[in-house]
Amino acid sequence: MDLLNTLVEKGLRRELPSREEALAVLATSDDELLDVVAAAGKVRRQWFGRRVKLNYLVNLKSGLCPEDCSYCSQRLGSKAEILKYTWLKPDEASKAAAAGVAGGAKRVCLVASGRGPTDRDVERVSQTIGAIKEENADVEVCACLGLLSEGQAERLKAAGADAYNHNLNTSEATYGDITTTHTYADRVETVRHAQGAGLSACSGLIAGMGESDADLVDVVFGLRELDPDSVPVNFLIPFEGTPLADEWNLTPQRALRILAMVRFVCPDVEVRLAGGREVHLRTMQPLALHLVNSIFLGDYLTSEGQEGKADLDMIADAGFEVEGTDTTTLPGHRGGGCDSPCGSAPADGAEPAESAEPAVPDNASARTDLVTVRRRGAGTDLAPNA
């Protein structure tokens, strides 16, 4: 039995692929790409049908972070010319969130730069959660505030937070090359704090930082072990003024292979296409909808995204539908609403995939013109992109 058929069967059984199989997905050639997408698409449809969940980011506090994460435009010492502002007031954050909800977002993600929240910060965010829920009772609220201390996750849960995001970002073996002010273990501990408090855990990765295939597989297997409900897959946005400004390592084909590998390893999890999709997938974004079941609508934390209407048009044109607030995202065995598989049954016929080295572009093919610093929405007087 060939690689792709094996991976489809394992995905439908929620069985973990081997490391060798995950590496083989990343090593497939561009000629085999559509076969890879079709195979992973069978797994995606089995558990999530053709639904796409929309998420909306609100950057509560931008820039001036004391941590030294090399990929981040808000890092200590960053020279990226991003928006910088202190905490939004609860009514300001609620207004920003409402724009995303009006655009179709089911989840609002409240993000603040920094190592982690103080107790006063938790109280401030709790008031913001209350303001958002008062206006939009059905919206999911996810907080992303950095490393959590004892008891803080419980306070956020009591305030009405539904989820907590804290990404692993890269493999444990290479984490020290990316960040020195905290550790991979610190991040794992925060995800476990969130899970222990009854929050839905959201934890993902950043691809394109110069990591190897083995690093990518390691971090995704680490995520599978943590078992978050949501796995955001970010593609590095190489901001000028950050240490990774010259890391242009991704092609659209490479990005799709990474998403397919994540889907095979995390078949029944909300896999979210996150930051960097416009920069690296470009016109091939619709193909990614066959692999992921969740995307961010509009802008990101410090960079602008595709227009919200273009996102909605893309979803419709690709034959998918926006997931409504009355639909549970996760399948029943993960605490969702479907007691049986939520999508279609698998079909046979995937073509075999042979190992090949992935194509690596030179910098001449990089589209640096697609990185646009956010100048609208939260922290400005201009209308947001939603």
Side-chain angles (χ1 to χ4, degrees):
M1 185 177 293
D2 69 295
L3 170 68
L4 295 179
N5 281 338
T6 298
L7 288 170
V8 169
E9 290 190 3
K10 287 186 174 184
L12 301 185
R13 297 194 301 263
R14 296 184 287 125
E15 182 180 334
L16 184 66
S18 68
R19 282 182 51 82
E20 291 72 22
E21 288 167 339
L23 286 166
V25 172
L26 297 178
T28 52
S29 69
D30 288 351
D31 288 341
E32 298 162 320
L33 181 63
L34 289 181
D35 296 328
V36 173
V37 172
K42 295 174 186 176
V43 179
R44 180 252 198 265
R45 289 192 302 276
Q46 172 74 357
W47 300 115
F48 300 98
R50 302 189 73 84
R51 294 177 285 113
V52 178
K53 179 177 181 178
L54 299 181
N55 308 266
Y56 190 71
L57 283 167
V58 177
N59 196 353
L60 297 178
K61 180 167 72 78
S62 184
L64 307 175
C65 181
E67 304 298 284
D68 68 355
C69 306
S70 300
Y71 52 81
C72 185
S73 60
Q74 304 183 76
R75 74 188 295 272
L76 179 69
S78 171
K79 294 180 174 59
E81 296 180 355
I82 62 169
L83 288 169
K84 298 182 177 68
Y85 53 85
T86 190
W87 290 93
L88 296 181
K89 295 177 181 177
D91 61 328
E92 294 172 327
S94 180
K95 182 178 179 180
V101 174
K106 181 177 178 177
R107 171 175 288 190
V108 172
C109 305
L110 303 176
V111 187
S113 61
R115 178 178 177 84
T118 64
D119 287 342
R120 182 183 177 187
D121 294 336
V122 170
E123 177 57 30
R124 181 185 284 113
V125 174
S126 295
Q127 292 175 9
T128 297
I129 294 169
I132 292 172
K133 293 277 190 174
E134 183 176 355
E135 295 296 323
N136 297 281
D138 294 333
V139 72
E140 297 175 8
V141 176
C142 178
C144 178
L145 311 174
L147 301 173
L148 292 176
S149 301
E150 195 70 35
Q152 290 183 329
E154 286 78 6
R155 290 175 61 191
L156 291 168
K157 173 71 173 177
D162 300 282
Y164 195 83
N165 166 260
H166 200 60
N167 295 329
L168 297 187
N169 289 330
T170 193
S171 69
E172 184 173 14
T174 59
Y175 196 84
D177 298 332
I178 299 299
T179 306
T180 66
T181 48
H182 60 268
T183 67
Y184 180 94
D186 291 332
R187 287 185 170 267
V188 169
E189 182 181 30
T190 284
V191 175
R192 288 180 173 151
H193 275 317
Q195 290 172 321
L199 291 167
S200 176
C202 174
S203 188
L205 65 143
I206 305 172
M209 297 190 289
E211 70 282 336
S212 67
D213 283 5
D215 291 324
L216 284 171
V217 170
D218 282 349
V219 68
V220 177
F221 271 59
L223 289 164
R224 170 74 183 235
E225 184 177 352
L226 267 181
D227 197 30
D229 293 324
S230 306
V231 174
V233 181
N234 297 276
F235 299 107
L236 177 71
I237 301 177
F239 275 94
E240 291 295 329
T242 66
L244 299 184
D246 295 327
E247 293 287 345
W248 291 91
N249 302 305
L250 297 170
T251 62
Q253 295 81 5
R254 170 75 167 164
L256 287 169
R257 282 191 286 269
I258 292 168
L259 291 170
M261 185 270 287
V262 175
R263 174 55 73 195
F264 285 130
V265 178
C266 304
D268 59 341
V269 168
E270 177 190 337
V271 177
R272 185 179 309 148
L273 182 56
R277 64 178 165 97
E278 298 90 345
V279 177
H280 297 293
L281 281 164
R282 303 192 285 275
T283 58
M284 292 180 74
Q285 290 181 71
L287 273 181
L289 296 177
H290 293 273
L291 307 171
V292 306
N293 63 294
S294 180
I295 67 170
F296 279 110
L297 176 74
D299 295 332
Y300 304 99
L301 297 177
T302 61
S303 65
E304 294 189 354
Q306 187 166 278
E307 289 293 335
K309 184 180 184 303
D311 288 336
L312 298 177
D313 288 345
M314 175 180 72
I315 291 168
D317 289 348
F320 293 85
E321 61 183 20
V322 173
E323 182 174 291
T325 56
D326 58 345
T327 302
T328 303
T329 301
L330 298 173
H333 59 269
R334 295 194 65 90
C338 294
D339 292 325
S340 58
C342 300
S344 59
D348 295 327
E351 293 294 324
E354 298 176 2
S355 295
E357 288 299 318
V360 178
D362 57 30
N363 284 341
S365 65
R367 289 291 305 277
T368 59
D369 58 302
L370 294 177
V371 178
T372 304
V373 173
R374 179 174 68 83
R375 302 292 184 199
R376 60 193 175 193
T380 77
D381 293 327
L382 299 179
N385 174 24

